[in-house]
């Protein structure tokens, strides 16, 4: 059995494979490079579990990065329990055939409480006084301290937020090396998010992307070389491609203006009240799940939203079923944006009444995905404001790091719909020619490709001098 590493280079597409990515471009061309028909919706968690289960979201239940919990009447984003996935994962299938297979999940999503042998995932410390400290969750438990003692504290604020940088992907790559050297998993899942940040901030063709692309290219060259020197099969892929956008759709403002959405006032802030609303939307990049209180509203709402500027498609449950998306968690209607547009979660009309979390990095409290968290307020006083607030936090005082602008026009790249051009689809490539990768890959085919890889009779050989490191 040849040991395998599955490397997820988020945001990589053929559009980017040029002289800005010299190593990855050569590797793609020389190692069976193919495009993948994206998952739908083409967002992080859905794409990952199409790959890892071989099923579409109607079967595995991961209909987006977040959804409305009808029992709790709460919108929940970026949860972490693997119990949320309702279909067998690739490691469960492999372990059923060979219980001795060792699997490491390094930062792929829904990582906690799964049946992998080694798990590493972001898990900040949220203290009672409101402070947040970077940290990770691991299995086995002692791996948490071992990794952070050797690599430093996980750079959480470089993983998401206005300080995002190559540092988080570099830490994950270094973590993958440590896990390989110390544990030799048969299958390692490695997540490299760096491209995602710049592509959403600037779009794929902005001059600022040159440095970001070079950074991930150099990181991948080093990481691929490390694994190849140890005799591993490399399968590299991405979740989606990111395309340029210049329009944002405030779907919840439209619903509120037309009497569908309800808010409540708390200490001068307007908070979305989903349980009281006739209808509201959970925005997730270029798709939005719309939840409706009574089925009698369905036809009127569908007709109304079909006319909304920037909306390409409004899918009811029957149409979702044809797309493999219909599930109790999915919206009663699913909205898909035009190619140049994306959905924001904003529901207030006066920024003075916006909730306090609107100007902070708060991925769990916001009732929708917010890519504006990648930006910082452009005021010249912002650095002084940030320094003062960080000092206050170190001294133990409660303070709000409210430096995120409320300005959806800043976002220049998005994903979620199926792009018209294959150049904007995700990609897959491998250094193992015996895999014979199909020319017409769909996202759910990755599961079968991994099964095939582990069925091949090609033993791993690790050079003795490397294995003794």
């Amino acid at each position: 059995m040849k040991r395998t590493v599955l490397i997820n280079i988020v945001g990589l597409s053929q559009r980017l494979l040029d002289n800005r990515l010299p190593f990855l471009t050569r590797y793609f061309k020389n190692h069976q490079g193919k495009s993948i028909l994206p998952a739908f919706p083409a967002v992080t968690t859905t794409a990952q579990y199409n790959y890892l289960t071989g099923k579409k979201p109607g079967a595995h239940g991961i209909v987006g990065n977040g959804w409305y919990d009808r029992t709790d009447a709460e919108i929940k984003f970026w949860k972490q329990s693997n119990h949320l996935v309702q279909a067998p994962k690739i490691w469960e299938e492999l372990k059923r055939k060979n219980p001795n297979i060792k699997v490491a999940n390094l930062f792929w999503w829904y990582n906690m409480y799964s049946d992998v042998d080694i798990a590493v995932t972001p898990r900040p410390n949220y203290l009672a006084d409101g402070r947040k400290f970077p940290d990770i969750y691991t299995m086995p438990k002692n791996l948490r301290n071992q990794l952070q003692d050797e690599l430093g504290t996980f750079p959480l604020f470089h993983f998401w937020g206005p300080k995002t940088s190559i540092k988080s992907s570099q830490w994950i790559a270094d973590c993958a090396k440590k896990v390989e050297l110390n544990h030799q998993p048969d299958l390692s899942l490695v997540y490299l998010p760096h491209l995602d940040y710049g592509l959403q901030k600037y779009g794929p063709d902005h001059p600022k992307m040159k440095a970001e692309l070079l950074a991930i290219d150099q990181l991948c060259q080093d990481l691929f070389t490390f694994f190849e020197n140890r005799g591993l099969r490399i399968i590299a892929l991405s979740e989606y491609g990111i395309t340029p956008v210049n329009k944002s759709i405030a779907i919840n403002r439209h619903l509120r203006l037309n009497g569908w959405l309800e808010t409540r006032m708390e200490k001068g802030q307007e908070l979305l009240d989903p349980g009281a609303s006739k209808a509201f939307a959970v925005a997730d990049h270029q798709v939005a799940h719309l939840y409706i209180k009574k089925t009698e509203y369905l036809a009127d709402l569908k007709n109304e939203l079909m006319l909304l500027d920037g909306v390409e498609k409004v899918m009811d449950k029957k149409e979702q079923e044809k797309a493999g998306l219909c599930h109790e968690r999915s919206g009663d209607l699913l909205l898909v944006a035009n190619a140049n547009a994306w959905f924001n979660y904003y529901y207030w009309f006066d920024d003075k009444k916006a909730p306090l979390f609107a100007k902070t990095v708060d991925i769990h409290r916001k009732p929708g995905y917010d890519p504006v968290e990648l930006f910082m307020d452009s005021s010249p006083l912002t650095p002084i404001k940030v320094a003062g607030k960080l000092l206050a936090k170190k001294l133990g005082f409660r303070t709000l790091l409210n430096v995120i602008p409320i300005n959806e026009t800043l976002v220049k790249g998005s994903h979620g719909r199926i792009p018209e051009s294959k150049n904007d689809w995700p990609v897959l490539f491998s250094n193992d020619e015996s895999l014979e990768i199909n020319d017409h890959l769909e996202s759910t085919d990755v599961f079968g490709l991994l099964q095939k890889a582990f069925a091949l009779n090609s033993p791993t050989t690790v050079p003795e001098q490397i294995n003794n490191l």
Side-chain angles (χ1 to χ4, degrees):
M1 179 176 61
K2 186 162 183 132
R3 296 192 301 115
T4 299
V5 57
L6 183 63
I7 302 176
N8 183 351
I9 309 166
V10 182
L12 186 63
S13 66
Q14 290 203 55
R15 174 198 282 258
L16 302 174
L17 291 170
D18 54 32
N19 58 10
R20 297 174 297 173
L21 285 172
F23 171 75
L24 286 172
T25 299
R26 288 194 306 272
Y27 208 96
F28 179 85
K29 289 178 178 177
N30 295 333
H31 294 89
Q32 309 184 80
K34 311 289 186 195
S35 289
I36 306 172
L37 177 63
F40 179 70
V43 298
T44 298
T45 58
T46 304
Q48 288 187 11
Y49 280 88
N50 276 26
Y51 293 159
L52 296 178
T53 67
K55 308 288 185 185
K56 292 186 177 181
H60 60 62
I62 306 304
V63 299
N65 296 319
W67 52 81
Y68 180 54
D69 186 317
R70 298 174 193 265
T71 303
D72 288 341
E74 293 178 354
I75 297 164
K76 297 179 178 179
F77 257 78
W78 301 111
K79 309 306 287 183
Q80 291 188 286
S81 170
N82 197 256
H83 300 161
L84 290 166
V85 184
Q86 297 174 342
K89 280 75 70 176
I90 183 63
W91 53 84
E92 294 170 356
E93 174 67 13
L94 296 177
K95 285 174 176 289
R96 184 180 64 80
K97 294 178 179 178
N98 181 355
N100 296 319
I101 281 181
K102 186 187 295 185
V103 179
N105 184 344
L106 309 178
F107 286 79
W108 285 54
W109 210 255
Y110 301 115
N111 198 337
M112 294 175 65
Y113 317 124
S114 72
D115 294 329
V116 297
D117 302 276
I118 299 160
V120 187
T121 195
R123 189 65 167 178
N125 275 319
Y126 294 97
L127 303 189
D129 61 8
R131 289 179 295 165
K132 179 171 71 174
F133 285 94
D135 207 343
I136 53 175
Y137 179 94
T138 70
M139 293 188 297
K141 290 187 290 186
N142 62 353
L143 185 59
R144 172 189 174 194
N145 289 338
Q146 290 173 6
L147 287 172
Q148 295 193 118
D149 286 347
E150 294 182 31
L151 302 178
T153 302
F154 174 65
L156 179 73
F157 302 122
H158 292 268
F159 184 75
W160 183 249
K163 288 181 64 179
T164 52
S165 75
I166 193 64
K167 289 182 180 180
S168 63
S169 291
Q170 185 65 64
W171 196 99
I172 296 168
D174 291 341
C175 167
K177 291 179 181 180
K178 292 288 183 185
V179 169
E180 162 60 20
L181 289 169
N182 295 328
H183 301 277
Q184 292 86 48
D186 298 297
L187 173 62
S188 293
L189 312 178
V190 181
Y191 179 73
L192 302 177
H194 179 67
L195 275 183
D196 206 19
Y197 313 143
L199 290 170
Q200 289 188 63
K201 288 178 76 169
Y202 310 123
D205 302 317
H206 195 283
K208 287 186 177 180
M209 281 306 302
K210 185 176 181 181
E212 308 300 335
L213 289 160
L214 184 60
I216 194 67
D217 194 64
Q218 292 174 341
L219 185 155
C220 286
Q221 182 170 9
D222 175 73
L223 188 62
F224 283 37
T225 302
F226 169 83
F227 282 118
E228 287 193 326
N229 285 344
R230 292 183 61 81
L232 271 75
R233 173 195 292 117
I234 294 173
I235 301 175
L237 48 62
S238 56
E239 299 163 1
Y240 43 73
I242 295 180
T243 53
V245 292
N246 55 25
K247 180 180 179 59
S248 182
I249 307 164
I251 178 62
N252 280 322
R253 283 178 176 164
H254 171 87
L255 293 169
R256 183 177 177 185
L257 189 64
N258 288 276
W260 298 103
L261 182 146
E262 296 290 335
T263 62
R264 66 181 190 273
M265 186 69 78
E266 292 189 3
K267 296 187 179 298
Q269 307 167 57
E270 291 181 343
L271 298 178
L272 172 61
D273 196 348
S277 297
K278 292 180 181 177
F280 63 92
V282 175
D284 197 356
H285 299 274
Q286 290 182 303
V287 297
H289 287 275
L290 194 136
Y291 297 89
I292 301 171
K293 198 168 190 177
K294 296 182 179 179
T295 55
E296 63 200 62
Y297 303 148
L298 191 66
D300 287 344
L301 255 176
K302 184 174 182 181
N303 291 334
E304 177 183 318
L305 295 171
M306 287 285 289
L307 301 175
L308 187 60
D309 186 31
V311 173
E312 178 189 72
K313 192 184 302 182
V314 181
M315 302 171 67
D316 59 27
K317 286 287 192 179
K318 288 184 178 179
E319 292 165 305
Q320 292 176 45
E321 187 170 9
K322 290 179 183 177
L325 180 58
C326 186
H327 188 274
E328 62 181 2
R329 294 170 178 166
S330 64
D332 300 289
L333 295 173
L334 182 78
L335 281 66
V336 183
N338 287 341
N340 69 324
W342 63 281
F343 295 100
N344 69 64
Y345 80 94
Y346 299 164
Y347 54 82
W348 58 90
F349 296 107
D350 182 352
D351 286 352
K352 292 179 181 178
K353 296 179 181 178
L356 291 177
F357 58 66
K359 297 199 73 175
T360 69
V361 175
D362 198 334
I363 64 172
H364 301 301
R365 206 184 312 268
K366 291 180 180 179
Y369 172 73
D370 185 14
V372 186
E373 290 184 349
L374 289 166
F375 299 87
M376 192 176 289
D377 197 309
S378 59
S379 166
L381 297 177
T382 297
I384 299 172
K385 180 179 179 181
V386 170
K389 287 179 177 288
L390 291 177
L391 177 61
K393 281 180 177 286
K394 286 182 179 180
L395 294 173
F397 294 101
R398 293 191 181 206
T399 186
L400 200 64
L401 203 57
N402 54 343
V403 295
I404 305 301
I406 301 175
N407 182 2
E408 70 279 14
T409 66
L410 294 169
V411 177
K412 302 303 180 186
S414 194
H415 57 92
R417 67 195 299 280
I418 306 297
E420 288 82 357
S421 172
K422 287 185 72 172
N423 281 336
D424 294 315
W425 290 7
V427 295
L428 183 145
F429 45 103
S430 174
N431 65 352
D432 187 348
E433 298 294 332
S434 64
L435 276 179
E436 298 180 355
I437 300 169
N438 193 303
D439 283 330
H440 304 287
L441 280 175
E442 295 192 23
S443 60
T444 50
D445 293 334
V446 172
F447 181 88
L449 186 69
L450 289 169
Q451 287 181 311
K452 179 181 176 183
F454 278 86
L456 294 171
N457 185 21
S458 47
T460 297
T461 55
V462 179
E464 187 66 27
Q465 68 273 23
I466 296 177
N467 199 33
N468 290 332
L469 286 175

